[in-house]
Amino acid sequence: MSTMKIKKGDTVKVIAGKDLGTEGKVLSVDVKNHKVLVEGINKITKHAKPSQANPNGGIVEKEAPIDISNVMLVVKGKTTRVGFKVEDGKKVRFAKSTGEVID
């Protein structure tokens, strides 16, 4: 299995779908299904039964996962593709547009 190019905490921009052009922070990454959960993106309404945490229940708005192919990493305000290279014996991500190491 290969390493994911987008990680939790990265800032991404949506390049396809109903939220086209919006940016957000990655909350979680589902490696198995190639999905990411982005803050404020792909909002859905869900009907919730009353529970201990939500005594009234009702309609709750939350983020739904979006396919990883529909988001692009943002580095210094610009979208970029991501590559991998080995530096000092470690595999690191780098921005293809600038060539700088991301992490």
Side-chain angles (χ1 to χ4, degrees):
M1 181 173 62
S2 64
T3 309
M4 296 297 270
K5 294 182 177 184
I6 294 175
K7 294 182 178 181
K8 181 180 175 179
D10 286 345
T11 302
V12 293
K13 186 173 191 174
V14 179
I15 57 171
K18 66 178 183 179
D19 294 312
L20 178 73
T22 54
E23 289 186 18
K25 186 177 172 186
V26 176
L27 300 174
S28 68
V29 179
D30 184 0
V31 178
K32 187 177 177 186
N33 298 319
H34 301 286
K35 303 262 186 195
V36 288
L37 194 67
V38 184
E39 189 176 42
I41 307 290
N42 199 20
K43 290 270 204 173
I44 59 165
T45 54
K46 192 164 177 72
H47 295 265
K49 288 174 76 173
S51 65
Q52 199 84 36
N54 186 7
N56 293 334
I59 300 171
V60 179
E61 205 171 71
K62 61 182 259 181
E63 292 100 358
I66 186 170
D67 199 86
I68 203 158
S69 65
N70 294 337
V71 296
M72 205 168 188
L73 187 68
V74 175
V75 178
K76 293 187 179 175
K78 290 185 136 184
T79 56
T80 181
R81 292 183 292 147
V82 179
F84 290 101
K85 62 183 174 183
V86 177
E87 278 190 359
D88 302 325
K90 284 194 165 192
K91 185 178 177 182
V92 293
R93 296 185 302 163
F94 73 97
K96 293 250 184 159
S97 60
T98 60
E100 76 174 86
V101 175
I102 297 166
D103 50 8

